[in-house]
Amino acid sequence: SSELTQDPAVSVALGQTVRITCQGDSLRIYYASWYQQKPGQAPVLVIYGKNNRPSGIPDRFSGSSSGNTGSLTITGTQAEDEADYYCNSRDSSDNVVFGGGTKVTVL
Amino acid sequence: QVQLQQWGAGLLKPSETLSLTCAVYGGSFSGYYWSWIRQPPGKGLEWIGEINDSGSTNYNPSLKSRVTISVDTSKNQFSLKLSSVTAADTAVYYCARGAQDFTMVVVVITAASYYFDSWGQGTLVTVSS
């Protein structure tokens, strides 16, 4: 399968921890990469590889992987973390695939 | 710090050809995959296709018959053409730099990662008669 599946929406209280998951067969080989997208803006890479953050991304963002599932965890969620989050990888045909996105609401 | 700047026509009529170009500033052109990605209004991200610095392409099977991605390494630019557009092609189009890493044990790939670390600003393309 070339699909990546994400929950459409999650909510989290300010300062709490939220985990977003991404499921797909390709994730048995590929680590999921994660992007944050705020309204009207281009996506921004927040996690790649086993658990790597690009320069400038706060350390409250972390990634993990188990079986066919990749996860993005935000620890101590801030108001500015409210956004859409997308995962991606390559599939078995070498095509690039994205998950459907998860809308994170900070309460 | 690499920067991607894109441009192209924002309003098309059905059956016309969409044409966008992305210029890469401040980074190496080689060793990366140069992609086009689109996002219809209110929807998620869809990968259109990619090209590397040697000109090898890879397209989304659902768009392959209408897509051409080309590269001009002398200008550090790559371009997208999407033919026979319809209203369903209305979207924000992004160019992006893709990077791929492998973890290997002897000759076996045990893990991999593919990610877009730089994005263009996006171009809204509207198809309307």
Side-chain angles (χ1 to χ4, degrees):
Chain A
S1 170
S2 62
E3 294 182 349
L4 295 178
T5 302
Q6 298 182 240
D7 290 331
V10 295
S11 60
V12 56
L14 186 67
Q16 297 303 301
T17 296
V18 63
R19 190 174 75 167
I20 306 162
T21 61
C22 175
Q23 282 191 300
D25 289 343
S26 62
L27 300 185
R28 295 188 184 279
I29 291 293
Y30 275 86
Y31 293 112
S33 301
W34 292 94
Y35 306 86
Q36 177 192 71
Q37 186 180 34
K38 297 181 179 179
Q41 298 182 18
V44 173
L45 179 68
V46 295
I47 290 289
Y48 67 99
K50 190 173 183 179
N51 182 20
N52 300 308
R53 284 176 289 105
S55 174
I57 301 301
D59 60 5
R60 62 178 180 272
F61 290 90
S62 63
S64 61
S65 175
S66 178
N68 72 338
T69 301
S71 300
L72 172 70
T73 300
I74 312 174
T75 304
T77 307
Q78 302 299 300
E80 61 263 32
D81 300 332
E82 185 163 289
D84 294 328
Y85 291 84
Y86 294 91
C87 60
N88 98 287
S89 76
R90 282 197 188 275
D91 67 13
S92 57
S93 299
D94 225 23
N95 298 312
V96 177
V97 290
F98 284 97
T102 299
K103 183 177 182 60
V104 171
T105 300
V106 181
L107 304 173
Chain B
Q1 177 83 0
V2 64
Q3 291 189 344
L4 278 63
Q5 186 168 359
Q6 58 184 100
W7 64 89
L11 181 60
L12 296 173
K13 290 181 167 48
S15 80
E16 292 184 334
T17 295
L18 179 157
S19 182
L20 298 173
T21 298
C22 183
V24 180
Y25 300 103
S28 172
F29 208 74
S30 63
Y32 295 96
Y33 298 86
W34 303 95
S35 271
W36 289 96
I37 296 155
R38 71 180 183 179
Q39 186 172 37
K43 297 188 177 181
L45 300 169
E46 179 182 32
W47 176 73
I48 299 169
E50 67 187 357
I51 191 167
N52 63 16
D53 58 301
S54 61
S56 296
T57 55
N58 187 20
Y59 298 136
N60 185 325
S62 68
L63 297 169
K64 188 172 184 176
S65 63
R66 297 193 292 131
V67 172
T68 302
I69 297 177
S70 59
V71 66
D72 185 341
T73 53
S74 67
K75 295 182 179 179
N76 275 15
Q77 294 178 1
F78 62 107
S79 298
L80 168 70
K81 290 191 185 300
L82 180 67
S83 64
S84 305
V85 298
T86 69
D89 296 310
T90 294
V92 175
Y93 287 73
Y94 296 100
C95 58
R97 184 177 82 169
Q100 184 148 359
D101 299 328
F102 293 105
T103 301
M104 301 185 73
V105 176
V106 189
V107 294
V108 178
I109 296 174
T110 57
S113 176
Y114 184 83
Y115 51 95
F116 296 108
D117 60 358
S118 294
W119 295 68
Q121 77 275 21
T123 300
L124 174 61
V125 177
T126 302
V127 180
S128 175
S129 56

